[in-house]
Each structure stands twice: as structure tokens, then as C-alpha cells.
Amino acid sequence: MCAMIFHFWSLPSNIFPDPIGDFGNENLELVQDVAALNFPKAVILGNHDSWSTQQFSSKKKDRVQLQLECLGQEHVGYKRLDFPLLKLSIVGGRPFSCGGQQIFRKRLLSARYGIQDMEGSAKRIYEAALGTPEDHLVILLAHNGSTGLGSELNDICGKDWVFGGGDHGDPDLAQAISHLKETTNVSIPLLVFGHMHKELAHGNGLRKMIVVGADDIIYLNGAIVPRVKRSTNETSLHASNSDGTYRAFTLVEILSGQVNKISESWVSVVGNETTLEEEHILFKSNGQSSC
């Protein structure tokens, strides 16, 4: 059995990493803490991680360069990171993505990765997956999801901040996935991303957080905001005081090469004590998704 926990949308904290980006507005200190965690991980930076830096400095290392430097090989933007013991490979999408049809931070992407347009970006994602060991699963890790998953405001990548909605997915990611499906035998059971908040703008309810695509890929959004809350009588059943926190995790369980279960779990943390308070099943291997 291979079980993976993805932590999404951290508040400033040196305990819980956020592998799909937006650690803060270029919060170098938190990224350094994440890089120092001593367990296998993969990370991709989001738009907030390049919030102020539009191009790399030629005079000194800016905060984007320092974030990339401290993450090293664990930053998977346009790269593949293999975990041989798990027979698993993580392939990264476009870093710093803000969603939609335009490339965010184009000068950063051009300088570091040679990216000029969506076609070139799609090619880099595609090429990153080539050469994956034959017995490995591939999980795609991106800051934002792909196009083609719906255009209603509550769809998994739907625009909830404008009247009428719209598809705010990444077209390069969709193009790369389609090309991989057409030309390779790479097994891609799962795409994990964030960016698109679960709670919709203007009090319009909640977003769909999971889609099982016609291509048999499970598209999973983990952007629960905020992910860390202070414990209260309403949020914690077992916390004995107000010093604790209430934290959201998205758990993906993979059995025999297949996604078996996906759940959104809330855990209370008081001192050194942790208690599972809630578990919401998003997906079970019978093919049913619940949100």
C-alpha cells in the first residue's frame, strides 16, 4: 500500500508544508522550513510565491531565486521526481501559475526555463513525464488545474469572481495531459492542485473539489482556505482549551497502483495531542465522488 498526504494552503507556520504552492507572498522563511523537513516531498511554487518579483535580479539573489535554491530538486516545476521505493513519480506543471489563458510571470519562466508561450510550456510538462520508469505511477502536481473541467462558477476551476463564470484552468497542462495520453503508456491516475479556493467569492457556496475525468484521471483540488483555524467549541470536539488548532489535510490512499480513497480530514492539535475530528470522503474506488 502507498498512502500519501497532501497539505494545502498553509497559514504562516513552520510545521505544515503546502506542496502546491502559495506559501505566502514570497515567504522565504516558511519555504526554508519546508525544505528542511526530513521526509520525501515534492513542491511547486504558486503565483503568491512570486508576488513581487517580475524578473530575476542581476545584482543579488531575490526571494524567488532563494526559494528555488533552497527547495532544490524537490521543486518539480517542469521536472519529474522519482520515488523508486514507492514506484511513484511526481511530474510538475508550470510554476507560478495564476490560471487562465495568460502566462503569469513570463519573464521569470523565460529566464529560468526558456518558456515563451503556452505551447512551449505544454511541451516542457510533456517532456518531463517522458522516461518515467515503466512500473511507476505518475501523479501530476500543479499550482492550478487544467482547462476542460467546467466553466460554471462552482466547477473545480470555474471563475467564481465574475458574473457567468468561465474556465480558469491552465491550457498548457491540459495540452500536455492530452499528448501524454495519445502518445505514451504513462499511467496518470491523479492530478493534484490548488489555487482555486473551496469557498466561493461573494458567499456563493462551495466549489466542487474533485472530478473524475473522461480520461480516467482524478482531478483533485486541495485549496481549503483557511487550512488552519484556532480551536473553538464549534470547531473541536476534544480540544480542552483555546490554545489548540484545527487543521485540514487531504489524504490520498493508493492501493495496488490505483487510487482507492480520497478524504478531506480535519485534525485538532492541542500541544502534543492530535485527534481526528472529521473525515469527509471525496472519492472511493467504486468510482463515486461526493463533491
Side-chain angles (χ1 to χ4, degrees):
M1 181 183 78
C2 164
M4 290 157 287
I5 297 177
F6 299 93
H7 308 162
F8 300 103
W9 286 91
S10 297
L11 296 179
S13 163
N14 63 355
I15 300 175
F16 292 103
D18 176 355
I20 44 75
D22 281 2
F23 293 91
N25 292 338
E26 301 190 15
N27 189 338
L28 175 61
E29 293 73 20
L30 178 55
V31 173
Q32 289 172 330
D33 287 342
V34 170
L37 292 171
N38 188 26
F39 55 76
K41 55 189 176 294
V43 175
I44 190 163
L45 295 179
N47 56 304
H48 281 266
D49 303 310
S50 59
W51 193 247
S52 302
T53 303
Q54 297 187 26
Q55 63 184 33
F56 291 117
S57 171
S58 60
K59 297 181 180 180
K60 66 177 183 178
K61 290 182 179 179
D62 52 58
R63 294 178 78 83
V64 174
Q65 288 173 297
L66 291 171
Q67 287 177 90
L68 291 166
E69 186 176 276
C70 74
L71 289 169
Q73 293 300 310
E74 291 176 334
H75 183 258
V76 295
Y78 295 131
K79 291 193 306 184
R80 188 185 78 245
L81 184 59
D82 296 331
F83 297 91
L85 293 178
L86 298 175
K87 295 186 177 181
L88 173 71
S89 296
I90 307 294
V91 173
R94 169 167 40 97
F96 316 126
S97 174
C98 198
Q101 297 296 316
Q102 302 299 318
I103 290 182
F104 186 72
R105 294 294 181 254
K106 186 174 180 179
R107 282 181 286 184
L108 295 181
L109 295 174
S110 176
R112 188 173 183 90
Y113 304 103
I115 299 302
Q116 304 297 329
D117 51 32
M118 287 293 185
E119 289 72 22
S121 180
K123 183 179 179 183
R124 283 295 299 271
I125 298 168
Y126 172 83
E127 290 175 344
L130 298 180
T132 299
E134 291 185 1
D135 59 345
H136 279 212
L137 297 176
V138 166
I139 292 179
L140 296 173
L141 185 66
H143 182 58
N144 189 48
S146 56
T147 52
L149 301 176
S151 58
E152 298 296 325
L153 61 85
N154 67 334
D155 280 327
I156 195 167
C157 289
K159 295 180 181 180
D160 57 308
W161 59 92
V162 295
F163 179 77
D167 189 340
H168 199 60
D170 286 358
D172 51 343
L173 185 55
Q175 183 179 336
I177 292 170
S178 177
H179 197 192
L180 286 167
K181 285 287 190 177
E182 291 171 358
T183 63
T184 75
N185 293 319
V186 173
S187 175
I188 310 173
L190 183 66
L191 164 61
V192 180
F193 63 95
H195 188 59
M196 307 297 287
H197 294 197
K198 180 177 181 178
E199 187 170 334
L200 301 176
H202 311 302
N204 284 323
L206 300 178
R207 183 180 303 281
K208 299 173 184 176
M209 299 298 281
I210 190 167
V211 170
V212 181
D215 53 9
D216 295 325
I217 296 174
I218 298 171
Y219 296 83
L220 176 62
N221 179 356
I224 302 167
V225 183
R227 192 187 63 80
V228 180
K229 303 176 182 179
R230 286 292 168 191
S231 294
T232 66
N233 291 335
E234 289 74 25
T235 61
S236 179
L237 299 176
H238 298 93
S240 59
N241 58 57
S242 60
D243 294 331
T245 55
Y246 192 59
R247 308 178 184 225
F249 298 85
T250 301
L251 174 67
V252 178
E253 181 182 271
I254 295 178
L255 296 173
S256 303
Q258 301 292 325
V259 176
N260 181 60
K261 177 183 173 182
I262 300 174
S263 62
E264 175 188 314
S265 299
W266 285 88
V267 176
S268 66
V269 181
V270 182
N272 293 323
E273 296 184 4
T274 60
T275 304
L276 177 64
E277 301 284 4
E278 300 177 33
E279 183 184 46
H280 306 287
I281 305 300
L282 307 183
F283 173 86
K284 299 187 91 170
S285 58
N286 59 12
Q288 299 298 315
S289 61
S290 59
C291 73

